[in-house]
Amino acid sequence: MDSIFIITILIVIGALAFDFINGFHDTANAIATAVSTKALKPRHAIILAATMNFVGAMTFTGVAKTITKDIVDPFTLQNGSIVILAALIAAIFWNLLTWYYGIPSSSSHAIIGSIAGAAIAAAGFQALNYGGFMKIIQALIFSPLIAFVVGFIVYSIFKIVFKHNNLTKTNRNFRLFQIFTAALQSYTHGTNDAQKAMGIITMALIANNYVTTDDIPFWVQFSCALAMGLGTSVGGWKIIKTVGGKIMKIRPINGVAADLTGAAIIFGATAIHLPVSTTHVISSSILGVGSAHRLKGVKWGTAQRMLITWVITLPISATIAGLVYLLLNAIF
């Protein structure tokens, strides 16, 4: 077997591993509020999330095409297969490191930063598709800000509408509704996050001349959806603890407001083919809801720690990917 075929196989395995890790790394974000309010038992929440993640991943491919062609041009990328393999290794390393410490960092930032860093190491800054890359960066920056504002507005409306309702009855009803919102949020997570690995595999297939268009092969879509679903079934308890309790004390009405906000922002991004960080969006939704509920009730120390991780993820993953590329290029 030639080296290109071997590297392509390694990329496929690495991309599926990334999706699997993304599943248990980011699943926590989609179901954290439902688990923390006891709307769903952890086991039931994970089964629900795994199923809906798979369904979501099988529904769309627009974000995958954006990943395939908008960061770098796979048709002209120098040492494309090594660039992609280096990016995967760096992103997986960062995801596992942040998961180990229970920090809800962004898988999206990690993989996008890693692709950019490895491509720059291979061919300089001119390797980047600046128009598409900046569009993706803008989506990553503005989506959590929008989520914060929308979460604040949604919960403010809830406070007015349900002002005179019995608190116990309202929370009981919203706890039941959280089953639906957890499913919806898991579905939207699948529509956006699973597509990133699909785009990476397709990028490798193009770079190594196995396909000639950016259309996502069905086997790529199915295998990535399955990997995401299986990863989801593992769960991510450390991050559930952070997102579901360390940002603010979440009640069912808070959880529904945050879930609806997160699902709307993520699905909106999927509809216009933009990758966003589900971690950022969901956490920012909770922060917005918490600020509308009671500003002092938000644990801003946790929020600050998360923000720092969000900011450093892209440059650190890019640096790691660049170093991994130089190592792999020397080997191959």
Side-chain angles (χ1 to χ4, degrees):
M1 291 187 292
D2 60 30
S3 60
I4 291 178
F5 180 75
I6 293 172
I7 293 174
T8 303
I9 294 297
L10 291 175
I11 289 171
V12 172
I13 293 171
L16 295 179
F18 175 79
D19 244 0
F20 180 87
I21 294 166
N22 191 321
F24 73 72
H25 189 277
D26 285 8
T27 291
N29 302 309
I31 60 175
T33 59
V35 172
S36 65
T37 62
K38 296 182 172 58
L40 285 167
K41 293 180 179 179
R43 184 181 299 275
H44 296 161
I46 287 177
I47 292 171
L48 176 67
T51 303
M52 296 309 294
N53 259 325
F54 176 82
V55 174
M58 291 299 296
T59 310
F60 298 95
T61 59
V63 173
K65 290 186 177 183
T66 297
I67 294 294
T68 297
K69 59 185 175 58
D70 280 12
I71 304 174
V72 295
D73 183 355
F75 292 99
T76 60
L77 182 62
Q78 181 177 321
N79 289 339
S81 56
I82 300 178
V83 166
I84 298 165
L85 184 58
L88 282 169
I89 292 171
I92 288 171
F93 171 79
W94 184 249
N95 268 359
L96 288 175
L97 184 68
T98 53
W99 166 79
Y100 180 80
Y101 287 104
I103 303 170
S105 71
S106 169
S107 297
S108 302
H109 278 179
I111 193 61
I112 290 166
S114 294
I115 293 172
I120 291 168
F125 283 91
Q126 67 268 22
L128 296 180
N129 177 352
Y130 276 101
F133 183 65
M134 292 310 299
K135 180 177 69 174
I136 291 171
I137 295 300
Q138 288 169 8
L140 292 175
I141 292 173
F142 287 111
S143 55
L145 299 177
I146 295 170
F148 180 91
V149 173
V150 173
F152 187 96
I153 293 171
V154 169
Y155 188 72
S156 297
I157 293 171
F158 278 14
K159 283 202 300 184
I160 295 171
V161 172
F162 299 102
K163 183 177 180 180
H164 300 294
N165 287 43
N166 177 274
L167 182 61
T168 302
K169 183 178 180 181
T170 300
N171 274 331
R172 184 168 62 248
N173 291 337
F174 271 98
R175 188 174 286 112
L176 290 173
F177 191 57
Q178 268 194 289
I179 298 172
F180 166 77
T181 59
L184 179 64
Q185 190 146 250
S186 297
Y187 172 79
T188 59
H189 174 259
T191 68
N192 201 282
D193 269 39
Q195 291 194 56
K196 291 153 193 170
M198 298 178 201
I200 291 166
I201 293 175
T202 304
M203 187 190 301
L205 295 176
I206 292 172
N208 294 330
N209 298 313
Y210 289 112
V211 298
T212 56
T213 72
D214 62 0
D215 292 331
I216 311 301
F218 177 78
W219 70 266
V220 172
Q221 185 178 13
F222 180 82
S223 58
C224 288
L226 185 61
M228 175 72 76
L230 291 173
T232 300
S233 68
V234 174
W237 303 115
K238 292 183 179 181
I239 296 172
I240 284 178
K241 187 176 180 181
T242 299
V243 176
K246 290 188 177 179
I247 298 176
M248 63 171 287
K249 182 176 175 60
I250 298 176
R251 294 181 174 84
I253 190 170
N254 309 135
V256 168
D259 287 352
L260 289 176
T261 299
I265 301 301
I266 295 167
F267 191 72
T270 298
I272 57 175
H273 302 169
L274 285 176
V276 295
S277 167
T278 56
T279 305
H280 291 199
V281 168
I282 295 169
S283 298
S284 296
S285 299
I286 295 172
L287 286 170
V289 168
S291 299
H293 179 68
R294 189 166 67 91
L295 200 60
K296 290 183 179 180
V298 178
K299 299 173 184 177
W300 295 105
T302 299
Q304 183 182 36
R305 179 166 164 254
M306 289 164 55
L307 179 62
I308 291 170
T309 308
W310 297 349
V311 171
I312 66 174
T313 291
L314 204 149
I316 287 181
S317 59
T319 302
I320 295 170
L323 294 173
V324 173
Y325 169 81
L326 293 176
L327 177 63
L328 291 179
N329 194 46
I331 294 173
F332 290 103

